[in-house]
Amino acid sequence: MMQLYTRIGDKGQTKINGNYTVNKDSMRVEAYGTVDELNSLVGLAASSEETWPALKEELQQIQQFLFDCGNDLATSNTKKYPYRMDLEPTKWLENIIDGYADEPKPLESFILPGGTRLASELHVCRTVTRRAERSIVAFNHYLEESKENNTYETKREESEANPSVQMFINRLSDYFFAVARVANHRSEVEDVLYDRSGKVFHLDVTKEDYGDLKE
């Protein structure tokens, strides 16, 4: 029988790739733990009765990429454990976002998370993606400072962060925003408008501008 517990966590510590021990409140663990939380929420959205087959495939593929992101965030020595994420998953997301962007009517004002149950779940995924991104940025800054000061938490020199992870997570929040709007549109449910917004976006908004509508 496989033993599921190690008792290492009883002292507030955990193992990362390479069998190094770190504290559970470290920025590294916060980063990949938030990605794991996001992965669970994506699985919830994928299992929704409102999810159409192509979207389910997309969400399940995103789960695979998120696991790769978590692996890279938990890796401190790339000489022994090479990073898994590269630029291809981000390009894949961008192609999907471009396909979704023109389906609902163009945005003129801020919207609130809501509409259908599926759209609401996808907005939850979007906001947790943003939190994951903030955790990853903080962790990447930690790695930069540790390299300058030679103060690594593993007591060994650690590899530089994988920039493809932060890039993918940044683009992923755009994806969830786009597909949440599509979910409402396909169910013929209006996006929930922010009452005090007014018209803040032009109808000829470009795809470059589109990425800035969320944050």
Side-chain angles (χ1 to χ4, degrees):
M1 182 180 68
M2 179 181 177
Q3 185 170 311
L4 297 178
Y5 52 88
T6 64
R7 296 192 176 92
I8 296 174
D10 294 347
K11 297 181 179 179
Q13 296 179 317
T14 190
K15 296 281 188 180
I16 61 173
N17 290 346
N19 205 34
Y20 302 144
T21 299
V22 297
N23 292 326
K24 285 193 172 184
D25 63 353
S26 76
M27 290 185 178
R28 181 189 296 277
V29 178
E30 178 66 27
Y32 72 67
T34 307
V35 169
D36 186 36
E37 177 186 353
L38 172 60
N39 209 334
S40 297
L41 292 170
V42 175
L44 181 64
S47 65
S48 170
E49 293 181 357
E50 299 177 29
T51 301
W52 56 93
L55 175 59
K56 184 173 184 177
E57 290 183 8
E58 288 173 12
L59 294 175
Q60 289 177 337
Q61 180 59 65
I62 286 169
Q63 286 187 285
Q64 297 289 333
F65 289 141
L66 286 174
F67 208 97
D68 288 340
C69 288
N71 173 82
D72 290 359
L73 291 167
T75 297
S76 65
N77 183 353
T78 55
K79 293 180 181 178
K80 188 173 183 180
Y81 300 95
Y83 284 146
R84 296 176 181 176
M85 288 292 287
D86 55 26
L87 295 179
E88 291 307 311
T90 298
K91 293 179 181 178
W92 175 77
L93 272 183
E94 289 175 343
N95 287 332
I96 297 174
I97 293 169
D98 290 344
Y100 281 145
D102 295 330
E103 189 170 334
K105 64 182 181 182
L107 280 174
E108 296 183 63
S109 62
F110 289 113
I111 63 173
L112 303 178
T116 65
R117 173 74 186 210
L118 175 59
S120 300
E121 290 174 350
L122 292 168
H123 275 298
V124 171
C125 290
R126 175 183 61 83
T127 55
V128 176
T129 301
R130 284 300 191 191
R131 177 153 56 84
E133 181 182 20
R134 293 192 294 271
S135 296
I136 290 168
V137 169
F139 171 61
N140 290 348
H141 287 162
Y142 149 77
L143 284 180
E144 293 172 359
E145 294 174 0
S146 295
K147 184 175 183 180
E148 292 177 1
N149 303 323
N150 194 27
T151 55
Y152 298 105
E153 64 178 342
T154 59
K155 309 303 179 183
R156 302 173 176 84
E157 184 176 358
E158 299 176 25
S159 301
E160 294 183 357
N162 182 358
S164 296
V165 170
Q166 184 174 317
M167 186 178 299
F168 177 78
I169 295 296
N170 176 265
R171 210 69 82 253
L172 185 58
S173 62
D174 295 338
Y175 166 85
F176 285 128
F177 184 85
V179 76
R181 296 201 66 223
V182 169
N184 279 339
H185 174 74
R186 293 188 181 184
S187 295
E188 299 182 345
V189 174
E190 292 290 331
D191 286 322
V192 182
L193 300 181
Y194 173 47
D195 288 340
R196 300 187 183 186
S197 175
K199 291 187 177 182
V200 294
F201 303 126
H202 298 294
L203 292 179
D204 60 349
V205 61
T206 65
K207 287 179 180 177
E208 287 75 16
D209 295 328
Y210 178 81
D212 295 327
L213 299 184
K214 283 75 67 191
E215 185 168 301

